[in-house]
Amino acid sequence: MTSKPSLSVLTLSCAILLLVSACGGDSKQAQSSGASSKTYNWKLVTSWAPKFPVIGEGMELFAQWVDSASNGRLRIKVYGANELVPGLEVFNAVSAGTAEMGHSAAYYWSGKVPASPLFASFPFGLNAQQFNAWYYGGGGKELWEEAYAPQGVIPFLCGNTGVQMGGWFNKEIKSVNDLKGLKMRIPGWGGKVITKAGGSAVTLAAPEIYTSLERGVIDATEWIGPYHDYKLGLHKVAKYYYYPGWHEPGTAFELLVNKKAFESLPKDLQEIVQTAAARTNIWILSQFEAQNNTYLQKLINEEKVQLREFPKEVLMELKKLAKEVAEEETAKDPQAKKTYESIMAFKKNILEWNKKSEDAMRPYLD
Ligand code: CA
């Protein structure tokens, strides 16, 4: 609404609004629908470098969409990692209310919320389409909210990388034996799987990956997919590019909102936040799919990268070890166990359906 309401209408609407909430802020934007005219200025902290391709860009768009849908009543300033808080402090900052919102990936909080990797990605877990189905239609949303409730944080699904790549190696992986002694940058449960397979897992932040591989500090690394891996220049320091990314079959991102702050918003702004999160969810995944496609061709045709598929025998062994890791990790915490069981039960059913739908069509889609 842009037209200026008459004084009497405004006074009346303020009087009504005063009964339910403060009628402060810019009265020019008072809504005839009765929505509060109060303007909110919020901070959104992220775990990504400022304007990080796709993910950071997606959150800038999220802020713009919320701004325009709310007629400027909810203004969100997006901060890159370390601009307000370090990237791995995002959850704490939202929980404490230092920032009203955050954007990150849930597996970073496994020390605080043991179930959290299940809400991002875990080895041989769900792909993006399956995760969306579990979240919106299979009880995932409710379990995620339950897991974060004790921290005063409300999560909303907000993006997905799609299937990642298996990573960059300087030797070929022909059998499980080739993983023995391999020093690989691979975080989370994927790292635990590599360790079980006889390798050693290293956690490195993005800026350290290139030089560590170049200097031989690590033998191999995973990062994301063709688009981001190309931008990091990993094809210049490794010979073979392996697929698929068994350890991250579709990493989901989360919009975190401080519960008290969210509840202080009028209903229409709460709806706008949820709607913009869903729009960003599909925007981020779509960008990943579109850019990865383009950059894979670039890597193959221009950079002459040697693409390799992990042998089936290697993937089956990693899958067996991944099941052990998931069961060990989720046995430690009732919420994690409950969430894991929900995902596995959902997956069993959806895989049956996928066989008759997605998989059955796949050979004919070329
Ligand atoms: Ca990754």
Side-chain angles (χ1 to χ4, degrees):
M1 297 292 288
T2 50
S3 61
K4 191 174 176 176
S6 72
L7 188 62
S8 59
V9 171
L10 188 62
T11 310
L12 179 63
S13 62
C14 275
I16 293 165
L17 284 164
L18 273 168
L19 296 173
V20 289
S21 66
C23 186
D26 185 357
S27 59
K28 281 180 193 161
Q29 295 194 10
Q31 306 282 297
S32 58
S33 63
S36 167
S37 63
K38 186 174 172 183
T39 297
Y40 298 81
N41 289 291
W42 278 18
K43 295 186 274 292
L44 189 158
V45 291
T46 72
S47 299
W48 330 117
K51 311 225 170 17
F52 189 74
V54 182
I55 318 173
E57 290 165 353
M59 296 322 289
E60 294 287 345
L61 282 172
F62 167 81
Q64 285 172 30
W65 290 333
V66 169
D67 191 309
S68 61
S70 69
N71 255 330
R73 288 162 52 228
L74 179 50
R75 295 198 170 119
I76 298 165
K77 182 165 166 48
V78 179
Y79 293 87
N82 297 320
E83 287 186 329
L84 197 64
V85 299
L88 297 182
E89 280 300 315
V90 165
F91 191 93
N92 286 341
V94 176
S95 177
T98 313
E100 292 84 357
M101 286 178 159
H103 190 252
S104 193
Y107 51 29
Y108 292 133
W109 331 123
S110 59
K112 188 180 265 290
V113 182
S116 71
L118 301 164
F119 301 114
S121 189
F122 63 98
F124 302 94
L126 301 169
N127 67 21
Q129 192 168 339
Q130 292 166 347
F131 193 98
N132 278 333
W134 176 66
Y135 177 82
Y136 291 115
K141 185 177 192 291
E142 293 73 18
L143 283 165
W144 202 346
E145 286 169 359
E146 204 176 290
Y148 284 6
Q151 312 290 337
V153 174
I154 305 176
F156 297 96
L157 175 58
C158 197
N160 197 303
T161 62
V163 180
Q164 297 200 3
M165 284 294 279
W168 299 87
F169 296 75
N170 274 313
K171 66 169 189 180
E172 286 188 85
I173 305 299
K174 291 182 171 164
S175 77
V176 182
N177 277 337
D178 292 320
L179 296 172
K180 295 204 182 352
L182 187 85
K183 205 169 176 190
M184 181 172 183
R185 183 267 176 199
I186 173 167
W189 292 4
K192 291 181 194 291
V193 174
I194 286 294
T195 306
K196 267 186 190 272
S200 62
V202 181
T203 306
L204 291 173
E208 300 165 74
I209 298 176
Y210 183 96
T211 45
S212 300
L213 194 55
E214 188 183 31
R215 291 176 191 164
V217 178
I218 51 172
D219 305 315
T221 186
E222 70 84 50
W223 178 225
I224 306 177
Y227 181 41
H228 292 82
D229 291 12
Y230 177 92
K231 285 190 170 273
L232 214 53
L234 295 174
H235 53 285
K236 293 175 192 152
V237 284
K239 212 165 164 187
Y240 304 106
Y241 196 19
Y242 269 87
Y243 67 93
W246 55 272
H247 59 294
E248 288 183 88
T251 299
F253 299 113
E254 57 186 10
L255 172 73
L256 303 170
V257 188
N258 178 280
K259 190 166 184 282
K260 275 189 196 142
F262 188 74
E263 285 168 355
S264 77
L265 291 178
K267 278 276 175 279
D268 67 325
L269 293 187
Q270 291 181 354
E271 287 298 329
I272 285 169
V273 167
Q274 295 191 62
T275 305
R279 183 176 177 186
T280 311
N281 184 40
I282 199 68
W283 187 88
I284 289 178
L285 174 62
S286 306
Q287 286 298 316
F288 265 108
E289 289 291 288
Q291 301 290 355
N292 279 337
N293 171 38
T294 306
Y295 279 79
L296 179 63
Q297 295 308 315
K298 229 175 159 61
L299 283 167
I300 296 170
N301 300 325
E302 293 172 22
E303 305 299 332
K304 311 292 180 206
V305 160
Q306 299 202 43
L307 215 60
R308 293 283 186 278
E309 184 175 4
F310 285 120
K312 192 174 180 192
E313 171 248 334
V314 171
L315 288 173
M316 291 313 282
E317 176 64 16
L318 291 172
K319 190 177 170 187
K320 194 190 92 195
L321 299 175
K323 190 166 184 279
E324 288 176 19
V325 168
E327 286 175 359
E328 284 162 18
E329 293 300 314
T330 55
K332 298 173 189 169
D333 177 79
Q335 183 72 33
K337 193 165 186 293
K338 185 170 140 182
T339 306
Y340 181 61
E341 283 168 359
S342 164
I343 290 175
M344 296 317 275
F346 185 80
K347 200 168 145 171
K348 191 168 177 288
N349 290 333
I350 205 165
L351 283 176
E352 280 305 308
W353 164 237
N354 286 168
K355 278 179 200 159
K356 314 286 185 294
S357 56
E358 304 288 333
D359 302 352
M361 272 312 294
R362 186 82 63 208
Y364 311 103
L365 292 174
D366 59 358

